[in-house]
Amino acid sequence: MAIRLLLLLQWPDRLSGDEATVGLMALRILRGEFPIFYAGQGYLGAMVAYLTAVVYLLAGASPLTLKVTVFLFSCLLPVIAFLMGKRMAGWRGGLTCALLTALAPPFLPVFGNDTRLGYMEVVVVGSLVLLLALDLATDERGRAPRERKLLLAAFLAGLGWWINPMTLSYVAAAGLFLLFRRRLWSLRALWAVPLAFVLGSVPFWVFNATHSFWTFALLEVGRKDFRAALESTVWRLLEISGVADAIIDPVPWLSPVAGVVYLALVGVLLVELARRTPRPEPEVRVRRRGLQLLLLFSLLHLTAFAFHRFAPLGGTQRYLFPLYSSLPVLTGIALLRVWEWSRVLAVAALGVLLLNNTLGLAHTVEFFEARRRQDWWKPEPVVEFLRSQGLTRAYAGWEVAGRLTFETQERIVVTELFGERYRPYEQWVDASPRVAYVLVQRQALPARWLEWGLQAISAGYRRKDFGEFSVFYDFHPSADGPLVSLPPVGWRA
């Protein structure tokens, strides 16, 4: 919790365009709207936006309070890792897995604090599904407790399906793992489990029943080059494990050593699964079944990623985010097996991994802090200027539009130039008789392009620059020639 909290307080005001969109959704929920998915999309359920709306009621709306819900989800993950490790290897296993989750590779604590719908939440909910599946496969108690757990797992799987389609990997792994365990499947369970899944995902089905099952049209695969898919998948896996970092360069000499340690631990797990014991002890049986479940889940999710059309693109590490449900636990269990053979080797391997993760996180913080000092995003002068000029409607690029609207709590509404995700914003700005354009030099539509366009239609205007920002406003006929009139939609097009 301390690590996550320090990261949260390190950049309390830093928001991406995605995060600002979630914050605006929470404001609209308080206004009486009921979104089902992320604005403008047919997937990524809005659960976090509803929870964030509750936080706003208690503590007000701000960039910091926007991050509270995901921060709490992030802090839950080490707890679930502890429970999974304890189920497989006792208290020592639980503490080892929790430690490896708390001091995880940099991508988990940094991206885990990002309020983007569907990522941290799906890891927590999906991890609970895996934990329940393992418990169901190894619990020797009566049928009634098992049925309750089975229904809870199905409900959580449905909730995760609404939150993020990546839940499919968890559902497939847990389903295959439990499918042939006859003592679980009474006649009542056969109809109650699908019903529990549907109840957990009610918003998903309500939306799709009224929108021609749009979500399923968005679930595409597009990989044809298997070699390229495999290379991309391996590289992204190295990045989320901290061996080849997604944000900064890996730690010199230490990260390659950590990579070798991970490979050795994979070998340890394979040896453990290959061992044949005539009558294994109950704890050994639980450990092996846990390893089977987590490795099955990891393989299914890696395969799904490899054949996804986004796999070869940059910045797609977040689609492997669910692997943090299995990576720390598998690592912890493998280290405990090494401990039984050589305590020196186990302590050395654990030390290498934790040191690599800690130094990598420190370097990542330094990287972001240096970026923050050079950050072009200083909206206060722009906001003050717009207010002083009585400008409450504006157009801007995607990254700027949502952040300015959230910064002003919708007192100034800024719509995206191309493809606004929330149509009322677009309609309000289009209908305004007086608008501004807020452009950023480094983005896709630089200020000089707008100037050329205005000159081409003989339009006069006023311009004010604030660092990287350029504000255009008060458009009027130019003395150089006749004004060509364009409607608001024409401006944006």
Side-chain angles (χ1 to χ4, degrees):
M1 288 184 71
I3 292 171
R4 268 61 168 183
L5 185 60
L6 286 172
L7 287 172
L8 188 68
L9 299 177
Q10 184 75 20
W11 311 289
D13 298 325
R14 187 183 182 93
L15 291 180
S16 66
D18 284 332
E19 291 179 294
T21 300
V22 176
L24 290 170
M25 289 174 65
L27 288 175
R28 298 196 291 268
I29 289 168
L30 294 179
R31 205 165 59 218
E33 298 184 15
F34 299 98
I36 291 179
F37 291 115
Y38 186 81
Q41 291 184 347
Y43 59 99
L44 299 183
M47 185 185 73
V48 164
Y50 284 96
L51 296 175
T52 301
V54 176
V55 175
Y56 285 176
L57 281 175
L58 299 174
S62 70
L64 182 60
T65 56
L66 170 59
K67 297 173 180 286
V68 167
T69 300
V70 174
F71 163 74
L72 294 176
F73 270 98
S74 184
C75 292
L76 277 175
L77 189 59
V79 179
I80 301 172
F82 167 79
L83 295 174
M84 180 72 81
K86 183 173 179 292
R87 193 78 178 88
M88 295 171 65
W91 276 87
R92 185 178 292 167
L95 292 172
T96 304
C97 296
L99 178 62
L100 286 164
T101 309
L103 294 173
F107 196 69
L108 174 58
V110 173
F111 191 78
N113 269 355
D114 252 23
T115 309
R116 303 180 189 219
L117 289 181
Y119 291 97
M120 195 69 241
E121 311 93 85
V122 80
V123 175
V124 170
V125 173
S127 297
L128 287 173
V129 171
L130 295 179
L131 178 61
L132 284 167
L134 176 62
D135 196 47
L136 285 164
T138 55
D139 190 358
E140 301 298 332
R141 287 180 289 177
R143 171 170 289 178
R146 290 200 301 268
E147 283 190 349
R148 287 195 292 269
K149 290 178 182 177
L150 188 60
L151 293 179
L152 177 59
F155 179 85
L156 289 173
L159 180 65
W161 176 247
W162 169 46
I163 292 172
N164 193 314
M166 288 193 296
T167 303
L168 184 60
S169 299
Y170 295 98
V171 175
L176 289 171
F177 192 67
L178 299 175
L179 183 61
F180 300 106
R181 305 190 185 278
R182 295 180 181 178
R183 59 192 178 89
L184 286 176
W185 298 103
S186 64
L187 183 62
R188 182 169 56 183
L190 288 175
W191 64 262
V193 166
L195 179 60
F197 180 87
V198 171
L199 286 176
S201 53
V202 161
F204 176 92
W205 300 110
V206 169
F207 175 88
N208 278 279
T210 55
H211 290 79
S212 303
F213 292 90
W214 184 33
T215 302
F216 295 96
L218 301 171
L219 300 177
E220 302 176 22
V221 294
R223 299 299 303 135
K224 295 181 180 179
D225 187 341
F226 182 76
R227 179 178 177 182
L230 183 62
E231 289 177 356
S232 175
T233 303
V234 170
W235 184 252
R236 299 291 177 260
L237 181 60
L238 293 175
E239 289 176 336
I240 69 161
S241 63
V243 176
D245 200 85
I247 304 171
I248 60 166
D249 292 331
V251 181
W253 72 263
L254 187 58
S255 290
V257 174
V260 173
V261 171
Y262 275 123
L263 284 176
L265 293 178
V266 169
V268 170
L269 294 177
L270 295 177
V271 169
E272 171 70 11
L273 288 175
R275 288 176 59 194
R276 288 289 181 266
T277 306
R279 282 188 169 182
E281 296 294 325
E283 55 270 19
V284 174
R285 190 162 57 247
V286 172
R287 184 174 67 234
R288 287 187 179 178
R289 287 182 177 175
L291 291 176
Q292 291 167 356
L293 174 61
L294 294 178
L295 287 171
L296 174 63
F297 161 73
S298 302
L299 182 62
L300 287 173
H301 193 75
L302 283 168
T303 303
F305 177 83
F307 286 95
H308 195 279
R309 60 195 174 96
F310 288 162
L313 303 179
T316 55
Q317 301 84 358
R318 64 186 183 276
Y319 298 122
L320 287 181
F321 209 61
L323 290 182
Y324 288 121
S325 294
S326 57
L327 178 63
V329 179
L330 290 172
T331 304
I333 299 302
L335 285 170
L336 288 178
R337 295 298 293 145
V338 175
W339 174 270
E340 295 175 6
W341 305 330
S342 171
R343 297 187 176 186
V344 173
L345 281 178
V347 171
L350 179 63
V352 166
L353 296 181
L354 293 181
L355 184 61
N356 183 60
N357 293 344
T358 304
L359 291 178
L361 182 60
H363 289 177
T364 302
V365 171
E366 290 176 3
F367 171 82
F368 275 122
E369 187 60 27
R371 288 282 301 271
R372 189 188 67 81
R373 287 194 293 268
Q374 303 171 359
D375 200 353
W376 57 268
W377 179 255
K378 294 178 177 61
E380 294 82 3
V382 177
V383 171
E384 284 302 314
F385 175 75
L386 293 173
R387 285 174 175 165
S388 68
Q389 297 296 318
L391 292 162
T392 60
R393 301 288 185 263
Y395 297 102
W398 166 76
E399 187 70 20
V400 173
R403 293 168 78 181
L404 279 176
T405 305
F406 182 75
E407 189 81 26
T408 62
Q409 306 293 290
E410 295 183 307
R411 293 180 182 89
I412 298 174
V413 173
V414 185
T415 188
E416 295 181 35
L417 284 160
F418 310 104
E420 170 62 46
R421 302 181 186 194
Y422 182 63
R423 288 300 302 279
Y425 286 167
E426 182 179 276
Q427 294 165 357
W428 296 345
V429 177
D430 282 352
S432 175
R434 186 165 179 254
V435 297
Y437 283 74
V438 182
L439 304 183
V440 178
Q441 297 294 346
R442 66 184 65 204
Q443 291 192 332
L445 185 66
R448 66 179 182 277
W449 288 15
L450 181 58
E451 283 192 312
W452 293 340
L454 292 169
Q455 292 167 5
I457 61 170
S458 301
Y461 57 90
R462 299 174 68 184
R463 173 178 174 176
K464 185 73 173 179
D465 294 329
F466 302 91
E468 289 282 333
F469 290 98
S470 295
V471 180
F472 292 81
Y473 64 106
D474 283 355
F475 305 101
H476 56 274
S478 170
D480 299 333
L483 178 67
V484 179
S485 177
L486 290 178
V489 174
W491 279 98
R492 193 169 57 255

